[in-house]
Amino acid sequence: MPDQPRARRQMVEDQIARRGITDVRVLDAMRSVPREVFVEPGFEDFAYDDAPLPIGHGQTISQPYIVALMAEAAEIKPSDHVLEVGAGSGYAAAVLSLMARQVHAIEWHRGLGEAAERRLRKHGFNNVELRVGDGTSGWREAAPFDAILVAAGAPAAPEALKKQLRIGGRLIIPVGSEEREQSLLKITRIGPDDFQQDDLGEVRFVPLVGEQGWAIGSSTPLSGSTKRKP
């Protein structure tokens, strides 16, 4: 069994900081969250590898760098209210919970969602509220959000998510016409019906399934990684 705290610090230095992530709050959060408790049993020794890892049900936990990249792009402040779509094992929600005031997370797969909720509670991430459902519709009763992060690729940014941003809010989402290859977009709401869009680079995520995403049954184990490593 490797020295996990040391491996975690090394991961942040080698895989994240050296690739250009400079937000101190992102780096501190990723040094604090034990990624080994968010992977499938038997994969704990590989928790700090530079790659996605299995979390069960044919899904994966995202590459550490991509979690950091999305968190930094979202510009999360301590007072922010954040929505995560595609909670998976709960790892990114845990990272976000150390940066924001409140995190709401949605996972479409019931088994994953229920396991993630138990894991978050067990390890003390108590400012995360998680539910199982269609993440493409967002969480209307909890809106508006200062930031929304989507951990699955969509054919287009769902209108429901864009409308649940505060003015000035940021939506970080992989978008592409191909189910397995997308561009990571940062969409900022600058007015009631006005949005600014920035392309952060090519990525690979599982398809975002739901009413405003891909059809159920489109999932693939390629999830949460850069297409070309920086």
Side-chain angles (χ1 to χ4, degrees), residues 107-127:
E107 171 54 48
W108 76 272
H109 193 290
R110 181 167 298 280
L112 281 179
E114 291 175 349
E117 185 170 26
R118 290 193 298 271
R119 198 175 289 117
L120 289 162
R121 295 291 167 266
K122 177 179 178 180
H123 295 282
F125 298 101
N126 297 319
N127 62 333

Side-chain angles (χ1 to χ4, degrees), residues 23 25-26 70-84 93 95-105 127-129 142-149 164-172 186 188:
D23 187 321
R25 299 182 66 246
V26 173
M70 293 177 72
E72 181 173 69
E75 301 179 52
I76 298 167
K77 299 181 289 295
S79 59
D80 280 356
H81 183 198
V82 175
L83 174 67
E84 187 201 16
V95 171
L96 297 172
S97 78
L98 299 184
M99 301 174 62
R101 175 177 58 86
Q102 177 71 43
V103 177
H104 281 74
N127 62 333
V128 180
E129 184 174 349
F145 299 99
D146 299 288
I148 300 175
L149 295 86
Q164 289 177 26
L165 289 170
R166 294 186 192 278
I167 304 300
R170 293 79 59 197
L171 168 63
I172 313 299
K186 177 179 180 177
T188 305

Side-chain angles (χ1 to χ4, degrees), residues 153-156 174-183 185 214:
V175 171
S177 58
E178 297 289 333
E179 290 183 6
R180 302 186 186 191
E181 296 184 3
Q182 308 94 15
S183 293
L185 302 183
W214 298 100

Side-chain angles (χ1 to χ4, degrees), residues 5-126:
R6 182 177 182 276
R8 192 179 316 134
R9 293 192 298 271
Q10 199 68 45
M11 173 199 74
V12 172
E13 177 63 29
D14 293 346
Q15 301 176 33
I16 298 172
R18 287 185 183 174
R19 288 180 175 173
I21 302 299
T22 60
D23 187 321
V24 173
R25 299 182 66 246
V26 173
L27 300 176
D28 285 347
M30 296 197 71
R31 288 188 189 102
S32 300
V33 176
R35 193 170 187 254
E36 65 271 17
V37 307
F38 291 93
V39 301
E40 193 170 38
F43 285 85
E44 293 89 348
D45 288 357
F46 307 101
Y48 298 103
D49 287 1
D50 185 24
L53 289 173
I55 55 174
H57 304 284
Q59 302 296 302
T60 59
I61 187 173
S62 293
Q63 176 189 17
Y65 171 74
I66 205 72
V67 175
L69 176 65
M70 293 177 72
E72 181 173 69
E75 301 179 52
I76 298 167
K77 299 181 289 295
S79 59
D80 280 356
H81 183 198
V82 175
L83 174 67
E84 187 201 16
V85 175
S89 70
Y91 174 70
V95 171
L96 297 172
S97 78
L98 299 184
M99 301 174 62
R101 175 177 58 86
Q102 177 71 43
V103 177
H104 281 74
I106 306 173
E107 171 54 48
W108 76 272
H109 193 290
R110 181 167 298 280
L112 281 179
E114 291 175 349
E117 185 170 26
R118 290 193 298 271
R119 198 175 289 117
L120 289 162
R121 295 291 167 266
K122 177 179 178 180
H123 295 282
F125 298 101
N126 297 319

Side-chain angles (χ1 to χ4, degrees), residues 165-208:
L165 289 170
R166 294 186 192 278
I167 304 300
R170 293 79 59 197
L171 168 63
I172 313 299
I173 181 170
V175 171
S177 58
E178 297 289 333
E179 290 183 6
R180 302 186 186 191
E181 296 184 3
Q182 308 94 15
S183 293
L184 186 63
L185 302 183
K186 177 179 180 177
I187 299 171
T188 305
R189 190 175 192 181
I190 58 177
D193 298 301
D194 295 318
F195 298 86
Q196 175 183 306
Q197 180 172 298
D198 297 291
D199 190 333
L200 305 180
E202 294 182 331
V203 290
R204 289 182 175 180
F205 277 83
V206 296
L208 178 65

